[in-house]
Amino acid sequence: MDNCIFCKIAAGTIPSKKVYEDEDLIVFHDINPAAPMHLLVVPREHISTLADCTDRHQALLGKMLLLAPKLAGEHGGGYIDGADGPAGGFKSLLNTGPDGGQEVYHLHLHVMGGPRPWRGQR
Ligand code: 5GP
Ligand code: ZN
């Protein structure tokens, strides 16, 4: 899509701090992080919102979600159930439409984690 910032990032015409890519997905750091680790999981295909996904996107959506804990583990938001001490963890967030707080209309999954001193969590 012309004029789509995430299509341009996926195509490499706009730079990003990329941490992962494959034939379906690209993952990069959010430019305005809301947490110590804030990654965006973005499909290469331009899909405007989650509400535009169809059965054809089932595997892609599953792949995006299953990538989240792997990314979190590698970038500071890992979670191991039953681990001793602080287990960490992360948020996975997908905003849809204006009431959902979506600003960029190219599907993306936020993966946020790491210590959050401003919340007094750790
Ligand atoms: P939304 O509100 O659409 O769910 O989230 C869009 C996210 O994209 C925001 O967290 C914003 O900081 C991020 N973002 C917007 N433009 C850029 C950009 O050019 N590069 C990167 N890395 N992130 C961006
Ligand atoms: Zn796009």
Side-chain angles (χ1 to χ4, degrees):
M1 279 275 284
D2 302 345
N3 267 338
C4 170
I5 193 123
F6 286 177
C7 280
K8 288 180 182 168
I9 287 175
T13 54
I14 288 181
S16 67
K17 284 169 68 184
K18 194 165 52 179
V19 301
Y20 173 88
E21 67 180 321
D22 64 25
E23 67 276 20
D24 300 313
L25 301 174
I26 177 166
V27 182
F28 49 88
H29 287 273
D30 195 293
I31 205 165
N32 184 21
M37 177 200 72
H38 188 166
L39 301 174
L40 300 173
V41 181
V42 177
R44 290 189 183 278
E45 179 185 347
H46 180 90
I47 307 161
S48 296
T49 79
L50 181 61
D52 295 294
C53 289
T54 67
D55 289 351
R56 183 170 76 76
H57 299 108
Q58 189 170 329
L60 179 70
L61 290 168
K63 186 170 178 176
M64 289 170 70
L65 212 49
L66 287 172
L67 194 55
K70 292 182 188 151
L71 291 165
E74 288 165 11
H75 295 277
Y79 176 71
I80 303 167
D81 194 17
D84 291 336
F90 58 94
K91 267 188 204 306
S92 311
L93 180 69
L94 216 160
N95 297 325
T96 303
D99 287 354
Q102 186 171 2
E103 289 171 8
V104 176
Y105 279 78
H106 178 132
L107 185 72
H108 53 281
L109 176 69
H110 296 256
V111 181
M112 294 174 276
R116 299 184 190 199
W118 60 89
R119 282 195 172 179
Q121 285 182 344
R122 278 204 262 169

